[in-house]
Amino acid sequence: MKLKYLIIAFLTMYTLFGYGQLHIEGTFFIGENAEVHVWNNLEITTASGELSNEGILEVEGDFQRTGDAAFVGNPNDMGARTVVFRNDNFNTNNNQRISGEMTGDNAFYKVVIDNLGDGTVDMDANIEITNNLQFVDGRLRTDVTSHLDGDNYQNEVFVSSPEAAAITGYTLTGAADRFVEGKLRRAAEGMGDLLDFPVGLGQGSEPFRINFFEPTSLTSILGTHQMNSTTPLGLTQQCDVGTEGDPFTPDGILDNLTIDCVLGQWLITSDDNITSEYGITFYPSDELMEQCSDGLYFFVGKDGQLDDCPDVTFRNGIFRSGLVGFSNFDIATASSSSSTFTAVEVIPSTDKRVTLFPNPVNSGLLNVKLEGNVFRAGESLIEVYNSIGQMIYNQEIDLFGNTQTIQIPLSSRNTGLHHIVIRNEIQMTSRTFIVVE
């Protein structure tokens, strides 16, 4: 069906039967209460071509916008303004494709992915969805082919609504489809809760969730996944994880956990700087976790640095908190532990009796406040490590067994994430802080 110039105000169901493509060179209008079903390809072309959608448009072939042609589907909240990609009749054996830039004035309002049999909707350019991306079946791929490195996908889908429910229909665990394969960007400004990123590669879904503890000023966040890793093998972390017979119940004995397997890498970036703390949870697929099948303790690595100790010890839902700034994340595992010290009290990073301020800190003094009797009186050692694990400062101190503040001098050349460790023969704790210019 080729439309040179046509204005249609649909008030009831209207279905385009047959297998010829719908080629629009004039104006095609779908009313608020209308549904249009296209059983083949849909093409909007020439400068006079315009498809305005206030109802439901279902496409079983490819969706293409060429040249100066216009798609109007997002200016306000009137009507459904939905485009459904479904392949249950005409196009059951092939991927569907979205061709042409679909951003700004040409952005989608709501998109539904409903491809049978783990089907895929490809993108050969960037697309924007201003209201909701809904998965029923299949995935949305931000390229015309799959890659092993998420950074190699040529395009991105931008869900520009900052609402947590702007993406629906996915699952965080147990699903091989219903996700964005490649690059997913989400609006984040004002978010003070959970923001999910159902992303993955051709092998399957590797989603993650960001937990903002307060509303963020970030404009948007871009997330993807790849098969690389950053955390080096052989890193050792000291944690109280229990005995061989009960490996997850602390027993007052500090153990060495040596990283013997690392899997996956999540790349998370933002065009804005983030200074407020957040937490993050990764939900690796069973296929990914099989690469570290002997893993007993699970860490979240950030730029090759591990969190203090594993918060959880099961495969799905691996969490890390107290983070500032985005970058590369992976999951590191230890398959066994070995005791190194006895009767050492590990003061957790969540203990509010140990505080650092200001944080972030520029060149000058970092204050370490120890409240009450969190540390017993006697000699202790303070050590400061930079983001690549180099010790840049150490100092022996006398603790009084009551509230006191210790000042640590810092240089502006040591910018970035740092770790501070306070320890003696019977107690230890660690904290993170940021040095800025």
Side-chain angles (χ1 to χ4, degrees):
M1 180 181 293
K2 190 169 185 179
L3 303 178
K4 291 293 186 181
Y5 190 82
L6 179 62
I7 300 178
I8 305 176
F10 293 105
L11 298 179
T12 60
M13 174 78 72
Y14 184 90
T15 303
L16 295 178
F17 294 98
Y19 296 97
Q21 73 172 6
L22 175 60
H23 182 90
I24 300 174
E25 294 184 9
T27 299
F28 193 94
F29 177 76
I30 302 173
E32 181 177 351
N33 298 313
E35 295 186 23
V36 174
H37 297 249
V38 182
W39 281 14
N40 202 312
N41 301 330
L42 185 152
E43 182 181 32
I44 318 165
T45 186
T46 74
S48 60
E50 178 179 302
L51 170 58
S52 182
N53 178 33
E54 292 186 2
I56 297 175
L57 170 64
E58 183 177 299
V59 181
E60 295 221 10
D62 297 338
F63 184 107
Q64 183 177 16
R65 186 184 72 85
T66 62
D68 295 328
F71 173 77
V72 183
N74 71 311
N76 54 52
D77 291 340
M78 288 178 57
R81 299 191 180 278
T82 301
V83 179
V84 180
F85 291 91
R86 179 174 290 140
N87 66 341
D88 59 354
N89 285 299
F90 164 73
N91 195 34
T92 56
N93 296 319
N94 299 298
N95 292 347
Q96 293 181 268
R97 179 165 297 174
I98 302 172
S99 296
E101 193 91 5
M102 302 297 298
T103 61
D105 292 339
N106 297 297
F108 294 107
Y109 181 73
K110 178 178 180 179
V111 168
V112 177
I113 306 297
D114 190 6
N115 265 227
L116 296 176
D118 195 21
T120 301
V121 179
D122 296 332
M123 295 164 38
D124 72 359
N126 294 329
I127 72 169
E128 178 184 356
I129 302 169
T130 63
N131 178 263
N132 178 256
L133 170 61
Q134 179 184 352
F135 290 97
V136 178
D137 276 308
R139 67 188 70 178
L140 177 62
R141 182 166 65 189
T142 65
D143 205 335
V144 297
T145 186
S146 295
H147 303 279
L148 293 177
D149 183 340
D151 205 39
N152 287 337
Y153 283 76
Q154 298 300 304
N155 312 301
E156 65 181 52
V157 53
F158 177 31
V159 180
S160 55
S161 167
E163 299 297 325
I167 304 179
T168 56
Y170 60 91
T171 61
L172 294 176
T173 60
D177 62 356
R178 289 181 286 155
F179 65 94
V180 172
E181 179 190 328
K183 297 178 179 178
L184 169 61
R185 182 180 296 277
R186 296 200 65 172
E189 189 169 7
M191 281 297 302
D193 203 347
L194 306 178
L195 199 62
D196 289 345
F197 286 76
V199 297
L201 301 178
Q203 289 83 355
S205 178
E206 310 293 349
F208 64 92
R209 166 176 285 175
I210 298 176
N211 183 1
F212 293 104
F213 301 120
E214 57 186 21
T216 180
S217 61
L218 291 177
T219 303
S220 66
I221 300 170
L222 177 65
T224 187
H225 185 261
Q226 61 186 35
M227 300 305 293
N228 299 334
S229 59
T230 304
T231 301
L233 297 177
L235 283 183
T236 298
Q237 205 80 339
Q238 294 181 343
C239 305
D240 182 2
V241 294
T243 62
E244 182 177 352
D246 186 3
F248 304 132
T249 302
D251 57 4
I253 299 174
L254 198 61
D255 303 286
N256 276 340
L257 301 182
T258 302
I259 300 304
D260 52 20
C261 188
V262 184
L263 53 86
Q265 186 176 73
W266 288 262
L267 285 70
I268 306 172
T269 59
S270 176
D271 293 334
D272 311 295
N273 293 322
I274 178 173
T275 58
S276 56
E277 286 191 0
Y278 67 94
I280 196 164
T281 308
F282 296 98
Y283 300 88
S285 64
D286 289 342
E287 291 78 10
L288 189 64
M289 291 305 301
E290 286 176 0
Q291 300 177 27
C292 294
S293 58
D294 294 331
L296 187 62
Y297 306 101
F298 295 84
F299 294 85
V300 172
K302 180 175 184 288
D303 292 330
Q305 298 290 317
L306 303 179
D307 44 345
D308 292 343
C309 285
D311 287 327
V312 293
T313 49
F314 49 89
R315 289 175 177 267
N316 285 317
I318 302 169
F319 176 72
R320 181 173 176 179
S321 61
L323 294 167
V324 177
F326 296 118
S327 52
N328 298 332
F329 297 83
D330 53 28
I331 294 175
T333 73
S335 58
S336 62
S337 64
S338 59
S339 299
T340 56
F341 302 101
T342 59
V344 174
E345 177 191 1
V346 179
I347 301 169
S349 60
T350 55
D351 195 318
K352 300 301 184 183
R353 294 176 297 171
V354 180
T355 55
L356 310 180
F357 63 93
N359 186 13
V361 60
N362 56 18
S363 57
L365 296 175
L366 174 71
N367 296 286
V368 182
K369 185 177 182 180
L370 308 176
E371 295 186 25
N373 61 349
V374 60
F375 268 88
R376 301 176 189 176
E379 292 185 354
S380 290
L381 180 66
I382 290 184
E383 300 167 329
V384 177
Y385 297 86
N386 63 16
S387 60
I388 60 174
Q390 297 173 327
M391 183 188 296
I392 62 170
Y393 179 84
N394 68 88
Q395 175 188 354
E396 291 186 357
I397 55 173
D398 287 323
L399 298 181
F400 308 143
N402 52 31
T403 299
Q404 66 185 104
T405 299
I406 302 148
Q407 293 185 323
I408 298 176
L410 296 170
S411 170
S412 60
R413 67 177 181 274
N414 293 310
T415 58
L417 182 69
H418 288 66
H419 297 265
I420 183 170
V421 178
I422 309 172
R423 59 185 175 88
N424 53 41
E425 293 181 353
I426 58 175
Q427 292 175 293
M428 72 167 293
T429 193
S430 65
R431 297 291 188 275
T432 59
F433 64 95
I434 299 290
V435 178
V436 296
E437 295 182 355

